[in-house]
Amino acid sequence: MSISAVERRPPPQHDATAKADEALLAELGYKQEFRRAFTPLEVFGIAFSIIGLLPSIASVLFYAIPNGGGPAMVWGWLVASIFVLTIGISMAELASAAPTSGGLYFWTYSLSSPRWRNLLCWIVGYANTIGSIASVASIDWGCAVQMMAAATIGSGNTFMPTSAQTFGVYTAIVLSHAVVCCLGTTILARLQTVYVVLNVMLCLAVIIALPITTPSEFKNTARFALWDFSNFNGWPNGYAFILSFLAPLWTICSFDSSVHISEEASNAATAVPWAIVNAIGIAGILGWAINMALAFCMGSDLEALNNSDQPMAQIFFNSFGRKGTLAIWAIVVIVQYMMGSSMLLAASRQTFAFSRDSALPFSNWLYRMNGYTKTPVNTVWFDAILALALGLLVFAGDQAINAVFAISVTGLYIAYAIPIVARFTGDNDFKPGPFNCGILSLPIAVVSVLFMLFMGIVFFFPVTPSPAVADMNYTVVVLGGIMVLSVAWYYFPKYGGVHWFTGPIPNIDKSTPDGSLRNSVEFQEKAPAKTATIEVR
């Protein structure tokens, strides 16, 4: 029997699940446009592969080493991971109640009070779109830097890449990811299992091999690795410790990626929330073990390590030698590359959903499904081009490109926090889905929102208390500028969103007995506004 024949005749249980998923999506106001090819493992895989762990830690280790050294790497990771888990649980409850690709901004509209729902929905949609594209840019930039680090090690430190050369590699990575993400949904889904397996194997290999192979002169005592605080940037130790949180917060982030493929997931109301929670939990445990191994095996000259082009590559070089480092580093680069493709996949689905509701410029062009691959090819290339534009910040200096990492956290935290707050403060009739924490939901939500608010402010500060112009933190300029422009566009006279944006636009007519499908424009003209209720049946 051919593969196509198998796909045309799914097993009865799968068919029943697909019908239930389609019915739930119809209750939320949308028709089924994607193929539901992602199994629960593959839904988990996309969140876990974007987290990436070892390559992610390699990309942001420069935040932890100068802001505490070993204690920041080990205890900072542990503390931050617990707080991130509270964010994931709060988001998982919303995802279980309303699993749709629009996710965050859809929940915001449905749960907010009528007076504020349109504006808040607009802000969350733009913050989520910007944060997701910044995540693509930061992951792919990290991949380009890692490739250049391999070239430097392979040349015996005779090759030192320029910013222009690194940007050229970055451009090639982003464009190749755009090609990959234009493939069919089934192919993209199957790739997630490969990503998970390779990711976990790489983490375990380093956790086991690094302590075994590290020469004695680079092994640290428990006191140095766990308690001796090293502060190179000049902030008070307590505040420096908090600044080190950017490493775990950037690593364990973008877990809303599972939400954005809800309409491609089987049994989405259960699979998506558990994918979020499991990805964060497993990443927290494995990441803590990796940081523990690094803290004990990175040597005591942290200042030299911090001044190297790629701190983790230098740690590996000291422990494994040149050939061993190149072998392991090749796998690190591959996993980081996989992270980038998964992130662009998720970002393109967010852009597709937001353009489906006509909120983005060029929405009529963006909201198109490729007839052959059944994927939103236009939004893939749109996000890739914007990611390339963010990469141009490298020519403004190291701190400018580093701002992309902070934007990917702060932008997403704006989008994460608002719907969580709206659930408990808005005028709504929230009905939880299969995943819920009962009476613990509110205290978990309070902790998660306060943490995001606090860390969002922290990440606007520069790395040193008395920075030069080149050392300023550009996060507030770039993110703030984009958000100000988005709000200005909303209130723009005559043409702004305040005159026409009405939140998520249903594209399925639930009023007719047969649930007849209509396109977005037709239904926008005829359908009444949705009520502020999220309900699972």
Side-chain angles (χ1 to χ4, degrees):
M1 183 181 293
S2 68
I3 293 178
S4 60
V6 173
E7 290 180 346
R8 284 194 299 268
R9 290 183 288 180
Q13 183 178 3
H14 180 276
D15 187 57
T17 301
K19 288 183 178 178
D21 284 327
E22 187 172 346
L24 175 55
L25 187 62
E27 286 295 316
L28 300 175
Y30 295 121
K31 63 183 178 181
Q32 187 68 50
E33 297 180 277
F34 290 96
R35 292 172 180 164
R36 289 192 180 267
F38 281 77
T39 65
L41 175 62
E42 290 158 351
V43 177
F44 161 79
I46 192 167
F48 190 71
S49 65
I50 288 173
I51 289 173
L53 276 185
L54 189 71
S56 291
I57 294 171
S59 296
V60 289
L61 197 57
F62 62 89
Y63 280 106
I65 290 176
N67 290 304
M73 293 164 62
V74 175
W75 306 122
W77 181 279
L78 181 63
V79 171
S81 296
I82 294 172
F83 281 109
V84 172
L85 184 60
T86 65
I87 300 171
I89 291 172
S90 296
M91 183 185 296
E93 290 190 298
L94 295 173
S96 183
T100 175
S101 295
L104 301 160
Y105 77 85
F106 179 92
W107 305 333
T108 300
Y109 181 87
S110 300
L111 297 170
S112 298
S113 300
R115 180 180 178 183
W116 299 107
R117 64 169 55 134
N118 286 352
L119 175 61
L120 291 176
C121 176
W122 180 278
I123 291 173
V124 168
Y126 271 93
N128 197 192
T129 302
I130 294 161
S132 296
I133 294 171
S135 295
V136 174
S138 58
I139 291 171
D140 285 359
W141 182 257
C143 187
V145 171
Q146 290 167 5
M147 286 185 176
M148 288 307 197
T152 299
I153 294 172
S155 68
N157 292 323
T158 59
F159 170 73
M160 301 302 292
T162 65
S163 295
Q165 290 170 331
T166 307
F167 181 78
V169 173
Y170 168 77
T171 300
I173 292 170
V174 173
L175 295 179
S176 65
H177 281 157
V179 173
V180 170
C181 290
C182 289
L183 300 175
T185 300
T186 303
I187 297 173
L188 295 171
R190 300 298 90 85
L191 286 174
Q192 304 310 313
T193 302
V194 178
Y195 294 176
V196 170
V197 172
L198 190 57
N199 210 334
V200 173
M201 289 178 62
L202 177 61
C203 293
L204 294 177
V206 170
I207 292 170
I208 295 170
L210 192 62
I212 294 174
T213 60
T214 300
S216 58
E217 63 264 30
F218 291 110
K219 288 187 176 180
N220 295 321
T221 64
R223 179 177 178 81
F224 183 87
L226 303 178
W227 304 111
D228 286 353
F229 200 88
S230 302
N231 185 351
F232 302 144
N233 287 334
W235 288 108
N237 286 351
Y239 190 74
F241 181 74
I242 293 171
L243 282 176
S244 74
F245 285 7
L246 183 56
L249 294 187
W250 183 82
T251 300
I252 313 177
C253 196
S254 298
F255 38 82
D256 60 308
S257 55
S258 294
V259 175
H260 298 312
I261 61 164
S262 294
E263 296 175 29
E264 300 167 76
S266 177
N267 195 19
T270 299
V272 172
W274 279 110
I276 294 171
V277 173
N278 287 335
I280 295 172
I282 294 173
I285 295 170
L286 281 177
W288 185 76
I290 291 170
N291 277 284
M292 183 75 78
L294 291 172
F296 275 92
C297 300
M298 64 184 176
S300 58
D301 191 356
L302 299 189
E303 195 159 3
L305 197 61
N306 185 56
N307 291 331
S308 63
D309 290 335
Q310 224 303 332
M312 186 178 285
Q314 187 63 48
I315 294 172
F316 285 178
F317 183 80
N318 295 340
S319 299
F320 300 124
R322 187 167 68 90
K323 292 183 178 179
T325 298
L326 288 174
I328 294 178
W329 204 248
I331 303 175
V332 171
V333 171
I334 291 171
V335 173
Q336 180 90 357
Y337 182 86
M338 292 174 173
M339 288 170 56
S341 67
S342 294
M343 189 64 239
L344 182 56
L345 169 65
S348 67
R349 273 35 176 189
Q350 158 62 21
T351 305
F352 176 83
F354 207 32
S355 64
R356 175 172 60 190
D357 297 320
S358 303
L360 290 172
F362 317 112
S363 286
N364 289 337
W365 178 77
L366 291 171
Y367 179 39
R368 294 183 183 180
M369 193 75 70
N370 183 274
Y372 180 73
T373 64
K374 302 299 181 184
T375 55
V377 171
N378 291 2
T379 60
V380 170
W381 285 102
F382 178 79
D383 286 359
I385 291 170
L386 291 181
L388 287 175
L390 281 176
L392 292 172
L393 285 171
V394 68
F395 298 108
D398 290 341
Q399 289 305 318
I401 191 64
N402 288 344
V404 177
F405 290 84
I407 292 169
S408 64
V409 177
T410 53
L412 289 177
Y413 276 9
I414 293 172
Y416 292 176
I418 291 177
I420 295 173
V421 172
R423 171 186 170 183
F424 295 100
T425 62
D427 181 12
N428 63 72
D429 182 23
F430 179 81
K431 293 180 175 60
F435 181 97
N436 70 89
C437 296
I439 60 173
L440 295 178
S441 296
L442 178 57
I444 291 173
V446 170
V447 171
S448 68
V449 170
L450 289 177
F451 179 72
M452 286 188 284
L453 176 63
F454 176 70
M455 293 309 302
I457 296 172
V458 167
F459 290 150
F460 288 146
F461 282 80
V463 294
T464 62
S466 301
V469 174
D471 296 326
M472 289 297 295
N473 189 336
Y474 287 83
T475 304
V476 67
V477 176
V478 179
L479 178 61
I482 295 173
M483 293 308 299
V484 167
L485 287 175
S486 68
V487 174
W489 166 230
Y490 181 80
Y491 284 111
F492 195 79
K494 189 176 179 179
Y495 300 105
V498 69
H499 301 290
W500 49 265
F501 182 69
T502 57
I505 302 170
N507 62 7
I508 186 170
D509 189 349
K510 294 183 289 184
S511 63
T512 57
D514 59 353
S516 60
L517 302 182
R518 301 181 180 180
N519 61 46
S520 297
V521 175
E522 179 183 356
F523 196 82
Q524 183 182 11
E525 294 172 349
K526 298 181 180 181
K530 289 203 291 229
T531 59
T533 302
I534 288 182
E535 182 176 357
V536 175
R537 302 184 187 279

